[in-house]
Amino acid sequence: MADLLGSILNSMEKPPTVGDQESRRKAREQAARLKKMEELEKRKKAEFRKKMEKEVSDFIQDSSQQKRKYNPMGKIERSILHDVAEVAGLTSFSFGEDEESRYVMLFKKEFAPSDEELEAYRKGEEWDPQLAEQRRRLKEQAALEEAASTQTEKTQACPNSNYRDKYSHLIGTSAAKDAAHTLEANRSYGCVPVANKRDTRSIEEAMNEIRAKKRQKREDDTGAQSSSF
Protein backbone atom coordinates (compact mmCIF):
# COMPACT_ATOMS: atom_id res chain seq x y z
CA MET A 1 0.00 0.00 0.00
CA ALA A 2 2.82 2.34 0.85
CA ASP A 3 4.44 1.64 -2.47
CA LEU A 4 1.21 2.40 -4.32
CA LEU A 5 0.77 5.70 -2.50
CA GLY A 6 4.36 6.66 -3.21
CA SER A 7 3.93 5.90 -6.89
CA ILE A 8 0.82 8.08 -7.07
CA LEU A 9 2.54 10.98 -5.32
CA ASN A 10 5.56 10.78 -7.62
CA SER A 11 3.37 10.83 -10.75
CA MET A 12 1.58 13.98 -9.65
CA GLU A 13 2.86 17.35 -11.07
CA LYS A 14 4.97 19.25 -8.66
CA PRO A 15 3.82 22.75 -7.72
CA PRO A 16 5.56 25.41 -9.83
CA THR A 17 8.52 27.15 -8.36
CA VAL A 18 8.93 30.91 -8.23
CA GLY A 19 11.18 30.80 -11.30
CA ASP A 20 8.63 28.89 -13.36
CA GLN A 21 5.87 31.30 -12.44
CA GLU A 22 8.00 34.27 -13.56
CA SER A 23 8.82 32.64 -16.92
CA ARG A 24 5.17 31.92 -17.61
CA ARG A 25 4.23 35.48 -16.71
CA LYS A 26 6.80 36.89 -19.13
CA ALA A 27 5.64 34.54 -21.86
CA ARG A 28 2.03 35.66 -21.39
CA GLU A 29 3.08 39.33 -21.48
CA GLN A 30 5.13 38.81 -24.65
CA ALA A 31 2.25 37.03 -26.39
CA ALA A 32 -0.06 39.88 -25.43
CA ARG A 33 2.37 42.45 -26.83
CA LEU A 34 2.72 40.55 -30.09
CA LYS A 35 -1.02 40.30 -30.45
CA LYS A 36 -1.38 44.00 -29.77
CA MET A 37 1.30 44.82 -32.37
CA GLU A 38 -0.38 42.61 -34.95
CA GLU A 39 -3.71 44.30 -34.34
CA LEU A 40 -2.05 47.72 -34.61
CA GLU A 41 -0.32 46.74 -37.87
CA LYS A 42 -3.56 45.39 -39.25
CA ARG A 43 -5.38 48.59 -38.34
CA LYS A 44 -2.65 50.72 -39.99
CA LYS A 45 -2.90 48.70 -43.20
CA ALA A 46 -6.67 49.09 -43.23
CA GLU A 47 -6.37 52.84 -42.70
CA PHE A 48 -3.74 53.14 -45.43
CA ARG A 49 -5.87 51.15 -47.87
CA LYS A 50 -8.86 53.35 -47.11
CA LYS A 51 -6.74 56.46 -47.72
CA MET A 52 -5.40 55.09 -51.04
CA GLU A 53 -8.90 54.15 -52.18
CA LYS A 54 -10.01 57.74 -51.57
CA GLU A 55 -7.02 59.21 -53.43
CA VAL A 56 -7.40 56.79 -56.34
CA SER A 57 -11.11 57.62 -56.60
CA ASP A 58 -10.32 61.35 -56.68
CA PHE A 59 -7.65 60.75 -59.31
CA ILE A 60 -10.07 58.85 -61.57
CA GLN A 61 -12.70 61.57 -61.30
CA ASP A 62 -10.21 64.36 -62.05
CA SER A 63 -10.23 64.65 -65.86
CA SER A 64 -7.26 67.04 -65.84
CA GLN A 65 -4.88 64.34 -64.54
CA GLN A 66 -3.50 61.57 -66.71
CA LYS A 67 -1.04 60.13 -64.19
CA ARG A 68 -0.10 60.50 -60.53
CA LYS A 69 3.27 60.07 -58.87
CA TYR A 70 3.50 59.11 -55.18
CA ASN A 71 6.30 59.74 -52.75
CA PRO A 72 8.64 56.85 -51.92
CA MET A 73 7.02 54.26 -49.67
CA GLY A 74 7.69 50.84 -48.19
CA LYS A 75 7.13 47.50 -49.85
CA ILE A 76 3.89 46.77 -47.99
CA GLU A 77 2.42 50.20 -48.83
CA ARG A 78 3.40 49.80 -52.49
CA SER A 79 1.74 46.40 -52.58
CA ILE A 80 -1.48 47.82 -51.14
CA LEU A 81 -1.47 50.73 -53.61
CA HIS A 82 -0.90 48.39 -56.57
CA ASP A 83 -3.82 46.27 -55.41
CA VAL A 84 -6.13 49.29 -55.04
CA ALA A 85 -5.11 50.54 -58.50
CA GLU A 86 -5.76 47.16 -60.11
CA VAL A 87 -9.22 46.95 -58.55
CA ALA A 88 -9.96 50.47 -59.81
CA GLY A 89 -8.90 49.57 -63.38
CA LEU A 90 -5.70 51.65 -63.42
CA THR A 91 -2.18 50.83 -64.57
CA SER A 92 0.53 51.13 -61.92
CA PHE A 93 4.33 50.83 -61.93
CA SER A 94 7.07 51.04 -59.30
CA PHE A 95 10.30 52.90 -60.05
CA GLY A 96 13.49 53.62 -58.12
CA GLU A 97 16.96 52.10 -57.85
CA ASP A 98 16.86 51.06 -54.17
CA GLU A 99 14.22 50.17 -51.63
CA GLU A 100 14.30 53.57 -49.93
CA SER A 101 13.73 55.52 -53.15
CA ARG A 102 11.12 53.31 -54.83
CA TYR A 103 7.81 54.99 -55.58
CA VAL A 104 4.56 54.22 -57.40
CA MET A 105 3.05 55.92 -60.44
CA LEU A 106 -0.56 55.50 -61.53
CA PHE A 107 -1.76 55.86 -65.12
CA LYS A 108 -5.26 55.96 -66.50
CA LYS A 109 -5.93 53.22 -69.05
CA GLU A 110 -6.46 55.65 -71.91
CA PHE A 111 -3.11 57.31 -71.13
CA ALA A 112 -0.97 54.21 -70.67
CA PRO A 113 2.77 55.02 -70.91
CA SER A 114 4.85 54.06 -73.93
CA ASP A 115 7.98 51.94 -73.70
CA GLU A 116 10.12 55.07 -74.14
CA GLU A 117 8.34 56.80 -71.25
CA LEU A 118 8.78 53.79 -68.96
CA GLU A 119 12.45 53.57 -69.90
CA ALA A 120 12.93 57.22 -68.94
CA TYR A 121 11.39 56.64 -65.50
CA ARG A 122 13.54 53.55 -64.97
CA LYS A 123 16.62 55.67 -65.66
CA GLY A 124 15.45 58.26 -63.15
CA GLU A 125 14.71 60.84 -65.86
CA GLU A 126 11.71 63.12 -66.28
CA TRP A 127 9.52 62.33 -69.28
CA ASP A 128 9.47 65.10 -71.91
CA PRO A 129 7.18 64.25 -74.88
CA GLN A 130 8.63 66.99 -77.12
CA LEU A 131 12.21 65.89 -76.47
CA ALA A 132 11.20 62.28 -77.07
CA GLU A 133 9.64 63.25 -80.42
CA GLN A 134 12.84 65.03 -81.45
CA ARG A 135 14.89 61.98 -80.54
CA ARG A 136 12.52 59.75 -82.51
CA ARG A 137 12.83 61.93 -85.63
CA LEU A 138 16.62 62.04 -85.34
CA LYS A 139 16.70 58.25 -85.02
CA GLU A 140 14.50 57.82 -88.10
CA GLN A 141 16.62 60.29 -90.09
CA ALA A 142 19.82 58.48 -89.09
CA ALA A 143 18.29 55.17 -90.17
CA LEU A 144 17.29 56.62 -93.56
CA GLU A 145 20.74 58.10 -94.11
CA GLU A 146 22.39 54.80 -93.23
CA ALA A 147 20.11 52.94 -95.64
CA ALA A 148 20.87 55.45 -98.42
CA SER A 149 24.60 55.19 -97.76
CA THR A 150 24.45 51.39 -97.91
CA GLN A 151 22.55 51.53 -101.22
CA THR A 152 25.11 53.96 -102.66
CA GLU A 153 27.98 51.68 -101.70
CA LYS A 154 26.26 48.72 -103.36
CA THR A 155 25.69 50.75 -106.55
CA GLN A 156 29.33 51.85 -106.67
CA ALA A 157 30.58 48.32 -106.07
CA CYS A 158 28.53 46.90 -108.96
CA PRO A 159 27.62 49.72 -111.42
CA ASN A 160 24.60 49.09 -113.61
CA SER A 161 26.25 50.35 -116.85
CA ASN A 162 25.94 48.96 -120.35
CA TYR A 163 29.39 48.35 -121.86
CA ARG A 164 27.94 48.06 -125.37
CA ASP A 165 26.18 51.44 -125.21
CA LYS A 166 29.23 53.08 -123.64
CA TYR A 167 31.65 52.16 -126.44
CA SER A 168 29.33 51.74 -129.45
CA HIS A 169 30.24 55.21 -130.78
CA LEU A 170 33.93 54.20 -130.85
CA ILE A 171 33.99 50.67 -132.23
CA GLY A 172 30.52 50.15 -133.70
CA THR A 173 27.51 48.33 -132.42
CA SER A 174 28.61 44.87 -133.55
CA ALA A 175 32.13 45.18 -132.17
CA ALA A 176 30.82 46.64 -128.92
CA LYS A 177 28.46 43.68 -128.61
CA ASP A 178 31.42 41.31 -128.95
CA ALA A 179 33.37 43.26 -126.33
CA ALA A 180 30.44 43.29 -123.99
CA HIS A 181 30.09 39.54 -124.42
CA THR A 182 33.73 38.93 -123.48
CA LEU A 183 33.32 41.05 -120.36
CA GLU A 184 29.93 39.65 -119.32
CA ALA A 185 29.62 39.44 -115.55
CA ASN A 186 29.60 36.15 -113.76
CA ARG A 187 27.06 36.16 -110.92
CA SER A 188 29.05 33.69 -108.91
CA TYR A 189 32.12 35.97 -108.78
CA GLY A 190 30.75 39.50 -108.66
CA CYS A 191 30.86 42.02 -111.50
CA VAL A 192 34.06 40.70 -113.20
CA PRO A 193 34.37 37.09 -114.48
CA VAL A 194 37.31 34.96 -113.36
CA ALA A 195 38.69 34.71 -116.88
CA ASN A 196 38.83 38.49 -117.24
CA LYS A 197 40.59 38.82 -113.91
CA ARG A 198 43.54 36.99 -115.49
CA ASP A 199 43.39 39.16 -118.67
CA THR A 200 46.02 41.88 -118.33
CA ARG A 201 45.02 43.73 -121.51
CA SER A 202 43.65 47.25 -121.29
CA ILE A 203 40.26 48.14 -122.72
CA GLU A 204 41.93 49.93 -125.66
CA GLU A 205 44.03 46.85 -126.44
CA ALA A 206 40.97 44.65 -126.33
CA MET A 207 39.08 46.97 -128.68
CA ASN A 208 42.03 47.12 -131.10
CA GLU A 209 42.13 43.35 -131.19
CA ILE A 210 38.40 43.22 -131.90
CA ARG A 211 38.78 45.79 -134.71
CA ALA A 212 41.57 43.70 -136.23
CA LYS A 213 39.44 40.57 -136.14
CA LYS A 214 36.55 42.40 -137.79
CA ARG A 215 38.86 43.82 -140.46
CA GLN A 216 40.36 40.39 -141.16
CA LYS A 217 36.87 38.90 -141.42
CA ARG A 218 35.80 41.53 -143.98
CA GLU A 219 38.95 40.92 -146.06
CA ASP A 220 38.34 37.17 -145.99
CA ASP A 221 34.74 37.69 -147.11
CA THR A 222 35.89 40.02 -149.95
CA GLY A 223 38.52 37.50 -151.09
CA ALA A 224 35.94 34.74 -151.12
CA GLN A 225 33.59 36.77 -153.28
CA SER A 226 36.41 37.63 -155.78
CA SER A 227 37.30 33.94 -156.11
CA SER A 228 33.74 33.06 -156.95
CA PHE A 229 33.84 35.42 -159.93
Coordinates of all heavy atoms in Angstrom, one line a residue, residues 94-163:
S94 N 6.1 50.6 -60.4 CA 7.1 51.0 -59.3 C 8.4 51.4 -59.9 O 8.9 50.6 -60.8 CB 7.3 50.0 -58.2 OG 6.1 49.8 -57.5
F95 N 9.0 52.5 -59.5 CA 10.3 52.9 -60.1 C 11.2 53.2 -58.9 O 10.8 53.5 -57.8 CB 10.2 54.1 -61.0 CG 9.2 53.9 -62.1 CD1 7.9 54.4 -62.1 CD2 9.6 53.1 -63.2 CE1 7.1 54.2 -63.2 CE2 8.7 52.9 -64.3 CZ 7.5 53.5 -64.2
G96 N 12.5 53.3 -59.1 CA 13.5 53.6 -58.1 C 14.6 52.6 -58.1 O 14.3 51.4 -58.2
E97 N 15.8 53.0 -57.8 CA 17.0 52.1 -57.9 C 17.1 51.3 -56.6 O 17.5 50.1 -56.7 CB 18.2 52.9 -58.1 CG 18.3 53.6 -59.4 CD 19.6 54.4 -59.6 OE1 20.4 54.4 -58.6 OE2 19.8 54.9 -60.7
D98 N 16.7 51.8 -55.4 CA 16.9 51.1 -54.2 C 15.5 51.1 -53.4 O 14.6 51.8 -53.8 CB 18.0 51.6 -53.3 CG 17.9 53.1 -53.1 OD1 16.8 53.6 -52.7 OD2 18.9 53.8 -53.4
E99 N 15.5 50.3 -52.4 CA 14.2 50.2 -51.6 C 13.8 51.5 -51.0 O 12.6 51.8 -51.0 CB 14.4 49.1 -50.5 CG 13.1 48.7 -49.8 CD 12.1 48.1 -50.7 OE1 12.5 47.5 -51.7 OE2 10.9 48.3 -50.4
E100 N 14.7 52.3 -50.6 CA 14.3 53.6 -49.9 C 13.7 54.6 -50.9 O 13.0 55.5 -50.5 CB 15.5 54.1 -49.2 CG 16.0 53.3 -48.0 CD 17.2 53.9 -47.3 OE1 17.6 55.0 -47.8 OE2 17.6 53.3 -46.3
S101 N 14.1 54.5 -52.2 CA 13.7 55.5 -53.2 C 12.6 55.1 -54.1 O 12.2 55.8 -54.9 CB 14.9 55.9 -54.0 OG 15.4 54.8 -54.8
R102 N 12.1 53.8 -53.9 CA 11.1 53.3 -54.8 C 9.8 54.0 -54.6 O 9.4 54.2 -53.4 CB 11.0 51.8 -54.7 CG 12.2 51.1 -55.3 CD 12.0 49.6 -55.4 NE 11.0 49.2 -56.4 CZ 11.2 49.1 -57.7 NH1 12.5 49.4 -58.1 NH2 10.3 48.8 -58.5
Y103 N 9.1 54.3 -55.7 CA 7.8 55.0 -55.6 C 6.9 54.4 -56.6 O 7.3 53.6 -57.5 CB 8.0 56.5 -55.8 CG 8.5 56.8 -57.2 CD1 7.7 57.1 -58.3 CD2 9.9 56.9 -57.4 CE1 8.1 57.4 -59.5 CE2 10.4 57.2 -58.7 CZ 9.5 57.5 -59.7 OH 10.0 57.8 -61.0
V104 N 5.6 54.8 -56.5 CA 4.6 54.2 -57.4 C 4.0 55.3 -58.3 O 3.8 56.5 -57.8 CB 3.4 53.6 -56.6 CG1 2.3 53.1 -57.5 CG2 4.0 52.4 -55.8
M105 N 3.7 55.0 -59.5 CA 3.0 55.9 -60.4 C 1.8 55.2 -61.0 O 1.8 54.1 -61.4 CB 4.0 56.3 -61.6 CG 5.0 57.3 -61.2 SD 5.8 58.1 -62.7 CE 4.5 59.1 -63.3
L106 N 0.7 56.0 -61.0 CA -0.6 55.5 -61.5 C -0.8 56.1 -62.9 O -0.5 57.3 -63.1 CB -1.7 55.8 -60.6 CG -1.6 55.3 -59.1 CD1 -2.8 55.7 -58.3 CD2 -1.3 53.8 -59.1
F107 N -1.4 55.4 -63.8 CA -1.8 55.9 -65.1 C -3.2 55.4 -65.4 O -3.6 54.3 -65.2 CB -0.8 55.3 -66.2 CG 0.6 55.7 -66.0 CD1 1.4 54.9 -65.2 CD2 1.1 56.8 -66.7 CE1 2.8 55.2 -65.1 CE2 2.5 57.1 -66.5 CZ 3.3 56.3 -65.7
K108 N -3.9 56.3 -66.0 CA -5.3 56.0 -66.5 C -5.1 55.1 -67.7 O -4.2 55.3 -68.5 CB -6.1 57.2 -66.8 CG -6.4 58.0 -65.5 CD -7.2 59.2 -65.8 CE -7.6 60.0 -64.6 NZ -8.4 61.2 -64.8
K109 N -6.0 54.2 -67.9 CA -5.9 53.2 -69.0 C -5.8 53.9 -70.4 O -5.0 53.5 -71.3 CB -7.2 52.3 -69.1 CG -7.2 51.3 -67.9 CD -6.2 50.2 -68.1 CE -6.4 49.1 -67.0 NZ -5.4 48.0 -67.1
E110 N -6.5 55.0 -70.6 CA -6.5 55.7 -71.9 C -5.2 56.4 -72.1 O -4.9 56.9 -73.2 CB -7.7 56.6 -72.1 CG -7.8 57.7 -71.0 CD -8.6 57.2 -69.8 OE1 -8.6 56.0 -69.5 OE2 -9.2 58.1 -69.2
F111 N -4.4 56.6 -71.0 CA -3.1 57.3 -71.1 C -2.0 56.4 -70.7 O -1.0 56.9 -70.0 CB -3.2 58.6 -70.3 CG -4.2 59.5 -70.7 CD1 -5.4 59.7 -69.9 CD2 -4.2 60.3 -71.8 CE1 -6.4 60.6 -70.2 CE2 -5.2 61.1 -72.2 CZ -6.3 61.3 -71.4
A112 N -2.0 55.2 -71.1 CA -1.0 54.2 -70.7 C 0.4 54.7 -71.2 O 0.5 55.2 -72.4 CB -1.3 52.8 -71.2
P113 N 1.5 54.5 -70.5 CA 2.8 55.0 -70.9 C 3.3 54.2 -72.0 O 3.1 53.0 -72.1 CB 3.6 54.9 -69.6 CG 3.0 53.8 -68.9 CD 1.5 53.9 -69.1
S114 N 4.2 54.8 -72.9 CA 4.9 54.1 -73.9 C 6.1 53.4 -73.3 O 6.5 53.7 -72.2 CB 5.2 55.0 -75.1 OG 6.1 56.0 -74.6
D115 N 6.7 52.6 -74.1 CA 8.0 51.9 -73.7 C 9.1 53.0 -73.5 O 9.9 52.8 -72.5 CB 8.4 50.9 -74.8 CG 7.5 49.7 -74.9 OD1 6.7 49.5 -73.9 OD2 7.5 49.1 -75.9
E116 N 9.1 54.0 -74.3 CA 10.1 55.1 -74.1 C 9.9 55.8 -72.8 O 10.9 56.2 -72.1 CB 10.1 56.1 -75.3 CG 10.5 55.5 -76.6 CD 9.4 54.7 -77.3 OE1 8.3 54.6 -76.8 OE2 9.7 54.1 -78.4
E117 N 8.6 56.1 -72.5 CA 8.3 56.8 -71.2 C 8.7 56.0 -70.0 O 9.4 56.4 -69.1 CB 6.9 57.1 -71.2 CG 6.5 58.0 -70.0 CD 5.0 58.4 -70.0 OE1 4.3 58.1 -71.0 OE2 4.6 59.1 -69.0
L118 N 8.4 54.7 -70.1 CA 8.8 53.8 -69.0 C 10.3 53.7 -68.8 O 10.8 53.7 -67.7 CB 8.2 52.4 -69.2 CG 6.7 52.3 -69.1 CD1 6.2 50.9 -69.4 CD2 6.2 52.7 -67.7
E119 N 11.0 53.7 -69.9 CA 12.4 53.6 -69.9 C 13.0 54.8 -69.3 O 14.0 54.8 -68.5 CB 13.0 53.4 -71.3 CG 14.5 53.2 -71.4 CD 14.9 51.9 -70.7 OE1 14.1 51.0 -70.5 OE2 16.1 51.8 -70.3
A120 N 12.5 56.0 -69.5 CA 12.9 57.2 -68.9 C 12.8 57.2 -67.4 O 13.7 57.6 -66.7 CB 12.2 58.4 -69.5
Y121 N 11.6 56.7 -66.9 CA 11.4 56.6 -65.5 C 12.4 55.6 -64.8 O 12.8 55.9 -63.7 CB 9.9 56.2 -65.2 CG 8.9 57.3 -65.6 CD1 7.8 56.9 -66.3 CD2 9.1 58.6 -65.4 CE1 6.8 57.8 -66.7 CE2 8.2 59.6 -65.8 CZ 7.0 59.1 -66.4 OH 6.1 60.1 -66.8
R122 N 12.6 54.6 -65.5 CA 13.5 53.6 -65.0 C 14.9 54.1 -64.8 O 15.7 53.7 -64.0 CB 13.5 52.3 -65.8 CG 12.2 51.5 -65.8 CD 12.4 50.2 -66.5 NE 11.1 49.5 -66.5 CZ 10.3 49.4 -67.6 NH1 10.7 50.0 -68.7 NH2 9.2 48.7 -67.5
K123 N 15.3 55.0 -65.7 CA 16.6 55.7 -65.7 C 16.7 56.8 -64.7 O 17.7 57.5 -64.5 CB 17.0 56.2 -67.1 CG 17.3 55.1 -68.1 CD 17.7 55.6 -69.4 CE 17.9 54.5 -70.4 NZ 18.3 55.1 -71.8
G124 N 15.5 57.1 -64.1 CA 15.5 58.3 -63.1 C 15.3 59.6 -63.8 O 15.6 60.6 -63.2
E125 N 14.8 59.6 -65.1 CA 14.7 60.8 -65.9 C 13.2 61.3 -65.9 O 12.3 60.5 -65.7 CB 15.2 60.6 -67.3 CG 16.6 60.2 -67.4 CD 17.0 59.8 -68.8 OE1 16.1 59.8 -69.7 OE2 18.2 59.6 -69.1
E126 N 13.1 62.6 -66.1 CA 11.7 63.1 -66.3 C 11.3 62.9 -67.7 O 12.1 63.0 -68.7 CB 11.7 64.6 -65.9 CG 11.8 64.9 -64.4 CD 10.7 64.3 -63.6 OE1 9.6 64.3 -64.1 OE2 10.9 64.0 -62.4
W127 N 10.0 62.6 -67.9 CA 9.5 62.3 -69.3 C 9.1 63.6 -69.9 O 8.3 64.4 -69.5 CB 8.3 61.4 -69.2 CG 7.6 61.2 -70.5 CD1 6.4 61.6 -70.9 CD2 8.1 60.6 -71.7 NE1 6.1 61.3 -72.2 CE2 7.1 60.6 -72.7 CE3 9.3 60.0 -72.0 CZ2 7.3 60.1 -74.0 CZ3 9.5 59.4 -73.3 CH2 8.5 59.5 -74.2
D128 N 9.8 63.9 -71.1 CA 9.5 65.1 -71.9 C 9.0 64.6 -73.3 O 9.8 64.2 -74.1 CB 10.7 66.0 -72.0 CG 10.4 67.3 -72.7 OD1 9.4 67.4 -73.3 OD2 11.3 68.2 -72.6
P129 N 7.7 64.7 -73.6 CA 7.2 64.3 -74.9 C 7.8 64.9 -76.1 O 8.1 64.3 -77.1 CB 5.7 64.6 -74.8 CG 5.4 64.6 -73.3 CD 6.6 65.2 -72.7
Q130 N 8.0 66.3 -76.0 CA 8.6 67.0 -77.1 C 10.1 66.5 -77.4 O 10.5 66.3 -78.5 CB 8.6 68.5 -76.8 CG 7.2 69.1 -76.7 CD 7.2 70.6 -76.5 OE1 8.3 71.2 -76.2 NE2 6.0 71.2 -76.6
L131 N 10.8 66.4 -76.3 CA 12.2 65.9 -76.5 C 12.2 64.5 -77.0 O 13.1 64.1 -77.9 CB 12.9 65.9 -75.1 CG 14.4 65.5 -75.1 CD1 15.2 66.3 -76.1 CD2 15.0 65.5 -73.7
A132 N 11.3 63.7 -76.6 CA 11.2 62.3 -77.1 C 10.9 62.3 -78.6 O 11.4 61.4 -79.3 CB 10.1 61.5 -76.3
E133 N 10.0 63.2 -79.0 CA 9.6 63.2 -80.4 C 10.8 63.7 -81.3 O 11.1 63.2 -82.4 CB 8.5 64.2 -80.6 CG 8.0 64.4 -82.1 CD 7.5 63.1 -82.7 OE1 7.1 62.2 -81.9 OE2 7.4 63.1 -83.9
Q134 N 11.6 64.6 -80.7 CA 12.8 65.0 -81.4 C 13.8 63.9 -81.6 O 14.4 63.7 -82.6 CB 13.5 66.2 -80.7 CG 12.7 67.5 -80.7 CD 13.3 68.6 -80.0 OE1 14.4 68.4 -79.4 NE2 12.7 69.8 -79.9
R135 N 14.0 63.1 -80.5 CA 14.9 62.0 -80.5 C 14.4 60.9 -81.5 O 15.2 60.3 -82.3 CB 15.0 61.4 -79.2 CG 15.8 62.2 -78.1 CD 15.8 61.6 -76.8 NE 16.5 62.4 -75.8 CZ 16.6 62.1 -74.5 NH1 16.0 61.0 -74.0 NH2 17.3 62.8 -73.7
R136 N 13.1 60.7 -81.6 CA 12.5 59.8 -82.5 C 12.8 60.2 -84.0 O 13.2 59.3 -84.8 CB 11.0 59.6 -82.3 CG 10.4 58.5 -83.1 CD 8.9 58.5 -82.9 NE 8.3 59.8 -83.5 CZ 8.1 60.0 -84.8 NH1 8.4 59.0 -85.6 NH2 7.5 61.1 -85.2
R137 N 12.6 61.5 -84.3 CA 12.8 61.9 -85.6 C 14.3 61.8 -86.0 O 14.6 61.4 -87.1 CB 12.4 63.4 -85.7 CG 10.8 63.5 -85.7 CD 10.4 65.0 -85.8 NE 9.0 65.2 -85.7 CZ 8.4 66.3 -85.8 NH1 9.1 67.4 -86.0 NH2 7.0 66.4 -85.8
L138 N 15.2 62.1 -85.1 CA 16.6 62.0 -85.3 C 17.0 60.6 -85.6 O 17.8 60.3 -86.5 CB 17.4 62.6 -84.2 CG 17.4 64.1 -84.0 CD1 18.1 64.5 -82.7 CD2 18.0 64.8 -85.2
K139 N 16.4 59.7 -84.8 CA 16.7 58.3 -85.0 C 16.2 57.8 -86.4 O 16.9 57.0 -87.1 CB 16.0 57.4 -83.9 CG 16.4 56.0 -83.9 CD 15.7 55.2 -82.8 CE 16.2 55.7 -81.5 NZ 15.5 54.9 -80.4
E140 N 15.0 58.2 -86.8 CA 14.5 57.8 -88.1 C 15.4 58.4 -89.2 O 15.6 57.7 -90.2 CB 13.1 58.3 -88.2 CG 12.1 57.5 -87.4 CD 10.6 58.0 -87.6 OE1 10.5 59.1 -88.3 OE2 9.7 57.4 -87.0
Q141 N 15.8 59.7 -89.1 CA 16.6 60.3 -90.1 C 18.0 59.6 -90.2 O 18.5 59.3 -91.3 CB 16.8 61.8 -89.7 CG 17.7 62.5 -90.8 CD 17.8 64.0 -90.4 OE1 17.3 64.5 -89.4 NE2 18.6 64.7 -91.2
A142 N 18.5 59.2 -89.1 CA 19.8 58.5 -89.1 C 19.7 57.1 -89.8 O 20.5 56.7 -90.5 CB 20.3 58.3 -87.7
A143 N 18.5 56.5 -89.5 CA 18.3 55.2 -90.2 C 18.1 55.3 -91.7 O 18.7 54.5 -92.5 CB 17.0 54.5 -89.6
L144 N 17.4 56.4 -92.1 CA 17.3 56.6 -93.6 C 18.6 56.9 -94.2 O 18.9 56.5 -95.3 CB 16.3 57.8 -93.8 CG 14.8 57.5 -93.4 CD1 14.0 58.7 -93.6 CD2 14.3 56.4 -94.3
E145 N 19.4 57.8 -93.6 CA 20.7 58.1 -94.1 C 21.6 56.9 -94.2 O 22.4 56.7 -95.2 CB 21.4 59.2 -93.2 CG 20.7 60.5 -93.3 CD 21.3 61.6 -92.4 OE1 22.2 61.2 -91.6 OE2 20.9 62.7 -92.5
E146 N 21.6 56.0 -93.2 CA 22.4 54.8 -93.2 C 21.9 53.9 -94.4 O 22.8 53.3 -95.1 CB 22.3 54.1 -91.9 CG 23.1 52.8 -91.8 CD 23.0 52.2 -90.4 OE1 22.3 52.7 -89.6 OE2 23.7 51.1 -90.3
A147 N 20.6 53.8 -94.6 CA 20.1 52.9 -95.6 C 20.5 53.5 -97.0 O 20.9 52.8 -97.9 CB 18.6 52.8 -95.6
A148 N 20.5 54.8 -97.2 CA 20.9 55.5 -98.4 C 22.4 55.3 -98.7 O 22.8 55.0 -99.8 CB 20.5 56.9 -98.4
S149 N 23.2 55.4 -97.6 CA 24.6 55.2 -97.8 C 24.9 53.8 -98.2 O 25.8 53.5 -99.0 CB 25.3 55.5 -96.4 OG 26.7 55.3 -96.5
T150 N 24.2 52.8 -97.6 CA 24.5 51.4 -97.9 C 24.1 51.1 -99.4 O 24.8 50.4 -100.1 CB 23.6 50.5 -97.0 OG1 24.0 50.8 -95.6 CG2 23.9 49.0 -97.3
Q151 N 23.0 51.7 -99.8 CA 22.5 51.5 -101.2 C 23.6 52.1 -102.2 O 23.8 51.6 -103.2 CB 21.2 52.2 -101.4 CG 20.6 51.9 -102.8 CD 20.3 50.5 -103.1 OE1 20.1 49.7 -102.2 NE2 20.5 50.1 -104.4
T152 N 24.1 53.3 -101.8 CA 25.1 54.0 -102.7 C 26.4 53.1 -102.8 O 26.9 53.0 -103.9 CB 25.5 55.3 -102.1 OG1 24.3 56.1 -102.0 CG2 26.5 56.0 -103.0
E153 N 26.8 52.5 -101.7 CA 28.0 51.7 -101.7 C 27.8 50.5 -102.6 O 28.7 50.0 -103.3 CB 28.3 51.3 -100.3 CG 28.8 52.4 -99.4 CD 29.1 52.0 -98.0 OE1 28.8 50.8 -97.7 OE2 29.5 52.8 -97.2
K154 N 26.6 49.9 -102.5 CA 26.3 48.7 -103.4 C 26.3 49.1 -104.8 O 26.8 48.4 -105.7 CB 24.9 48.1 -103.0 CG 24.9 47.4 -101.6 CD 23.5 46.9 -101.4 CE 23.5 46.1 -100.1 NZ 22.1 45.6 -99.8
T155 N 25.7 50.3 -105.2 CA 25.7 50.8 -106.5 C 27.1 51.0 -107.1 O 27.4 50.7 -108.2 CB 24.9 52.0 -106.6 OG1 23.5 51.8 -106.1 CG2 24.7 52.5 -108.1
Q156 N 28.0 51.6 -106.3 CA 29.3 51.9 -106.7 C 30.1 50.6 -106.8 O 31.0 50.5 -107.7 CB 30.0 52.8 -105.7 CG 29.4 54.2 -105.6 CD 30.1 55.0 -104.6 OE1 30.8 54.5 -103.7 NE2 29.8 56.3 -104.6
A157 N 29.8 49.6 -106.0 CA 30.6 48.3 -106.1 C 30.2 47.5 -107.3 O 31.1 46.8 -107.9 CB 30.3 47.5 -104.8
C158 N 29.0 47.6 -107.8 CA 28.5 46.9 -109.0 C 27.7 47.8 -109.8 O 26.5 47.8 -109.8 CB 27.7 45.7 -108.5 SG 27.3 44.6 -109.9
P159 N 28.4 48.7 -110.6 CA 27.6 49.7 -111.4 C 26.8 49.1 -112.5 O 27.1 48.1 -113.1 CB 28.7 50.6 -112.1 CG 29.9 49.7 -112.1 CD 29.8 48.8 -110.9
N160 N 25.6 49.6 -112.6 CA 24.6 49.1 -113.6 C 24.8 49.8 -114.9 O 23.9 50.5 -115.4 CB 23.2 49.3 -113.1 CG 22.2 48.6 -114.0 OD1 22.5 47.7 -114.7 ND2 20.9 49.0 -113.8
S161 N 26.0 49.7 -115.6 CA 26.3 50.4 -116.8 C 26.3 49.3 -118.0 O 26.6 48.2 -117.8 CB 27.6 51.1 -116.8 OG 28.6 50.1 -116.5
N162 N 26.0 49.8 -119.2 CA 25.9 49.0 -120.3 C 27.2 49.2 -121.2 O 27.4 50.3 -121.7 CB 24.7 49.3 -121.2 CG 24.5 48.2 -122.3 OD1 25.4 47.7 -122.9 ND2 23.2 47.9 -122.4
Y163 N 28.1 48.2 -121.2 CA 29.4 48.3 -121.9 C 29.2 48.6 -123.3 O 29.9 49.4 -124.0 CB 30.2 47.1 -121.6 CG 31.6 47.1 -122.2 CD1 32.7 47.6 -121.5 CD2 31.8 46.6 -123.5 CE1 33.9 47.6 -122.1 CE2 33.1 46.7 -124.1 CZ 34.1 47.1 -123.3 OH 35.4 47.1 -123.9

